[in-house]
Amino acid sequence: MNDNNMEERLTAFKMLLLRKMPFYGDILTNVPIVSDLSIPTACTDGRTIRFNPVFFRSHKEGEQHFIIMHEVMHMLMLHCVRGIGKDPRIFNTAADIVVNTELMRLRGSMQAAGISFEAPKDGVFHPEYSMNTAEEVYERLLKVNREQKGRKTKKKIAILKGYGKGQHTIHIDSPDDLIILLPGEGPAQAGIPLETGLVPPGIPGEDSAESLEKHIAAIIRHAEEAASKGRSPYGSYYVPQLLHSLAESRYIPWKRLLKDYLMDKASEDVSYATPERKYLHMELILPGHGEREETLENIWAFVDSSGSISQEEMGEFLTQLYRIMKEFHCKMNLAYWDTKVTDIYKNIKGEKNILNSLPHHTGGTDINCVYRWIAENKVKPDVMVILTDGYYGSLQESNRIPSLRKKTILVISKNGAVINDAMKVLGKVTRL
């Protein structure tokens, strides 16, 4: 297949998408796709897709479609911006796992529309991470790769496979598709040996990142309009699902937010008089927590007990709380609420105790009861986490406390309401 045939095949793919799946067809029509022998596989800088024609020819037509859509997803998910400041190889792998998960969900619609669409054998597919954001997968991969000190080469990435007792570590080659590029720059301009398949993230200016985000947002809006005018049934249900995923994939995990709050609070109580001994072997002297081990006691978790949070989600939430409390050597307070605050557990410590602190009352849902209870009982939380499905009414003006907003993390259950600006009145908003 020569370059002319490749151009014809790409054009045919665009036209097919415009007829059958206009949302994606419109996006591809507005994104330049360029042949480039200087890159090992394919890449995007958030504005342009480039591919190596030799690499492209080595795949079947359905796999070629998958590869193009793979780079499109990197663009739409703003991985070129979200990877800034992270280990490029590990973030590349994490982003590929998330992108390929989305494409496997899209595959059925593509095939139903008569569009050849197959996953390449050299892709990175790990269903264990199918519910995670790129940032969450990155943190998990970063942790396991730090533990794998004896990796044979820098090209290998350690990944945990399987679940529970069957979990084990495998090593894969890090993907060669390039996603962490400075906006508007290609691999050659970055001055990096092309055979590494990497471009360092760098720190593009705020204007560059903001400009790229606005550019992608404009492309998505235009594609939404094109999809609304089209009459094709194929993949139409998937567009809102994708947009929902894109909108929420950038929220910082609630566990990270809570840790940040606790680290800020703990920093007020550290001292060089009692250094952290676990770092002494590295000839590092870092401040420790002094003689008082439990300095963080005003931590409150308020859990919606109206019946909208599943037992599985509640168990996951409580387990993660326990692990964080253990990490920071502190106690916590837990209360359940529906239309009033009930089942209050104070100064909980230990996994058994926290998992046994369960609700015994259920009713409607009114977020105002949490704030009334705090005021009536003169509770002054250093940090508070509220778990809900997002359907809790609206916070009354009389209950709005600016100081609490800065200390609050609102966690929406996995299948809860779509996150919106009104929720941000309570504090930082994220997903379970």
Side-chain angles (χ1 to χ4, degrees):
M1 178 170 55
N2 59 38
D3 286 349
N4 288 335
N5 286 339
M6 290 177 65
E7 291 296 329
E8 291 174 4
R9 182 167 290 185
L10 287 172
T11 300
F13 182 43
K14 290 179 185 178
M15 294 300 103
L16 192 56
L17 285 176
L18 282 170
R19 292 199 314 273
K20 300 283 191 176
M21 305 182 78
F23 178 81
Y24 302 102
D26 190 78
I27 288 174
L28 273 184
T29 301
N30 288 289
V31 174
I33 303 177
V34 181
S35 176
D36 188 344
L37 281 167
S38 70
I39 61 174
T41 56
C43 73
T44 179
D45 61 359
R47 296 177 184 272
T48 301
I49 293 173
R50 296 178 180 275
F51 63 89
N52 184 312
V54 178
F55 165 77
F56 204 67
R57 290 191 199 101
S58 68
H59 291 80
K60 296 182 294 185
E61 182 182 59
E63 295 174 333
Q64 292 173 355
H65 294 166
F66 196 101
I67 292 167
I68 294 298
M69 290 302 298
H70 179 98
E71 300 304 326
V72 166
M73 286 294 180
H74 278 315
M75 293 178 65
L76 298 184
M77 291 184 171
L78 287 170
H79 287 155
C80 300
V81 173
R82 292 163 64 184
I84 293 171
K86 296 179 173 63
D87 181 302
R89 290 185 187 278
I90 294 178
F91 185 78
N92 220 16
T93 305
D96 266 23
I97 289 172
V98 171
V99 161
N100 287 339
T101 296
E102 290 293 336
L103 292 179
M104 293 305 288
R105 290 170 180 160
L106 179 62
R107 183 176 61 170
S109 295
M110 286 280 192
Q111 293 177 341
I115 301 173
S116 179
F117 199 75
E118 292 296 334
K121 294 180 180 179
D122 49 1
V124 184
F125 299 88
H126 295 283
E128 295 89 344
Y129 301 91
S130 63
M131 297 300 293
N132 297 111
T133 65
E135 285 78 7
E136 289 174 319
V137 178
Y138 172 79
E139 289 298 329
R140 292 175 66 181
L141 295 185
L142 192 64
K143 183 177 184 294
V144 72
N145 279 275
R146 282 174 175 169
E147 293 170 352
Q148 297 284 320
K149 296 178 181 178
R151 282 190 292 160
K152 293 180 180 179
T153 71
K154 292 182 179 179
K155 281 279 288 180
K156 294 290 183 181
I157 299 289
I159 293 182
L160 285 176
K161 287 280 291 179
Y163 303 90
K165 294 182 180 179
Q167 195 172 67
H168 60 284
T169 303
I170 65 169
H171 292 83
I172 66 167
D173 291 330
S174 59
D176 282 332
D177 69 315
L178 316 179
I179 61 170
I180 309 174
L181 303 176
L182 299 182
E185 293 187 1
Q189 290 90 336
I192 300 299
L194 294 174
E195 64 270 18
T196 65
L198 284 174
V199 175
I203 307 293
E206 290 184 0
D207 290 342
S208 297
E210 183 180 354
S211 174
L212 180 58
E213 292 193 34
K214 288 180 178 178
H215 174 72
I216 297 299
I219 286 177
I220 291 174
R221 282 196 302 271
H222 196 277
E224 283 185 274
E225 292 176 6
S228 67
K229 296 174 183 176
R231 296 183 178 180
S232 173
Y234 302 108
S236 59
Y237 77 93
Y238 184 76
V239 173
Q241 178 184 334
L242 171 68
L243 296 176
H244 177 75
S245 174
L246 294 177
E248 299 198 347
S249 64
R250 302 198 66 199
Y251 285 100
I252 301 172
W254 73 272
K255 300 179 285 292
R256 172 86 63 78
L257 287 173
L258 179 55
K259 286 185 178 182
D260 288 345
Y261 276 105
L262 296 180
M263 288 177 69
D264 288 343
K265 181 63 181 173
S267 65
E268 301 172 8
D269 300 295
V270 298
S271 168
Y272 281 95
T274 53
E276 280 280 11
R277 296 184 178 278
K278 63 182 178 181
Y279 296 111
L280 292 180
H281 72 284
M282 299 167 62
E283 297 183 356
L284 292 175
I285 300 179
L286 300 178
H289 286 274
E291 298 299 324
R292 294 171 60 216
E293 193 175 57
E294 293 169 6
T295 57
L296 303 170
E297 296 181 351
N298 241 347
I299 302 164
W300 281 88
F302 293 92
V303 179
D304 181 348
S305 61
S306 64
S308 57
I309 308 296
S310 69
Q311 290 186 346
E312 181 182 352
E313 288 180 314
M314 196 173 292
E316 176 187 336
F317 179 74
L318 295 178
T319 299
Q320 293 298 332
L321 277 180
Y322 160 71
R323 290 173 179 170
I324 293 172
M325 297 306 105
K326 183 178 179 182
E327 180 179 341
F328 284 85
H329 308 288
C330 59
K331 298 177 182 179
M332 66 163 293
N333 306 288
L334 175 65
Y336 292 90
W337 60 279
D338 40 51
T339 56
K340 61 181 180 180
V341 174
T342 60
D343 302 307
I344 301 159
Y345 302 89
K346 293 185 177 181
N347 298 321
I348 308 171
K349 185 177 182 181
E351 183 176 19
K352 184 177 180 180
N353 290 333
I354 193 170
L355 292 177
N356 287 333
S357 302
L358 299 174
H360 298 94
H361 181 273
T362 186
T365 313
D366 180 10
I367 192 73
N368 291 284
C369 71
V370 173
Y371 291 84
R372 287 195 298 267
W373 184 86
I374 287 174
E376 290 167 0
N377 291 274
K378 298 180 179 179
V379 173
K380 297 181 179 180
D382 291 319
V383 185
M384 59 187 264
V385 184
I386 302 175
L387 175 62
T388 174
D389 68 344
Y391 300 101
Y392 50 70
S394 58
L395 184 63
Q396 297 171 359
E397 191 68 34
S398 59
N399 290 321
R400 294 187 183 184
I401 306 172
S403 60
L404 275 182
R405 181 181 180 183
K406 297 177 182 178
K407 303 174 181 179
T408 300
I409 303 170
L410 183 68
V411 183
I412 308 299
S413 59
K414 293 176 180 176
N415 295 314
V418 174
I419 293 174
N420 57 56
D421 290 339
M423 295 177 179
K424 297 175 184 177
V425 170
L426 276 69
K428 292 188 176 180
V429 188
T430 186
R431 282 274 175 197
L432 181 63

